[in-house]
């Protein structure tokens, strides 16, 4: 469970890590690896996922399924909350 929570937090941080983490790392590896502009967010997602996996591996044991599920839930958290609110609002109108 602890690993899932860490993964959710990591997924939520992906959009916020573009500038402080993603850009410097991309600048450093671009001379060696071609990364297109549309792939930058995916790269940051993978980088944050690797960091989360290292933290999870050092502190707790969990399955890869929960790490991946947590990253997905965290990444789409704001959209999931909006969808839930919209669903609840439509139920209240019935």
């Amino acid at each position: 469970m602890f690993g899932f929570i860490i993964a959710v937090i990591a997924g939520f941080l992906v959009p916020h890590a573009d500038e402080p983490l993603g850009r410097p790392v991309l600048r450093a590896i671009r001379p060696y690896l071609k990364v297109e502009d549309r792939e930058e967010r995916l790269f940051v997602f993978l980088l944050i996922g690797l960091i989360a996996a290292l933290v999870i591996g050092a502190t707790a044991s969990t399955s890869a399924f929960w790490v991946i599920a947590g990253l997905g839930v965290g990444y789409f958290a704001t959209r999931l909350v909006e969808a839930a609110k919209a669903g609840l609002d439509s139920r209240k109108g019935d």
Side-chain angles (χ1 to χ4, degrees):
M1 185 66 177
F2 183 64
F4 177 76
I5 293 169
I6 291 173
V8 169
I9 293 168
F12 183 76
L13 291 176
V14 168
H16 307 288
D18 279 340
E19 287 296 321
L21 182 66
R23 300 244 187 252
V25 173
L26 282 167
R27 230 177 292 128
I29 67 164
R30 273 208 165 110
Y32 310 103
L33 178 68
K34 182 181 176 185
V35 179
E36 296 180 18
D37 291 341
R38 61 191 167 121
E39 297 172 325
E40 288 180 5
R41 179 61 62 92
L42 174 63
F43 179 81
V44 174
F45 181 81
L46 293 173
L47 188 61
I48 293 289
L50 287 172
I51 293 168
L54 288 172
V55 171
I56 292 166
T59 60
S61 63
T62 189
S63 71
F65 171 81
W66 290 113
V67 174
I68 293 169
L71 284 169
V73 168
Y75 185 80
F76 294 107
T78 54
R79 292 180 233 181
L80 291 170
V81 169
E82 287 176 17
K85 283 181 183 178
L88 289 174
D89 289 343
S90 69
R91 278 186 96 182
K92 288 180 184 177
D94 290 342

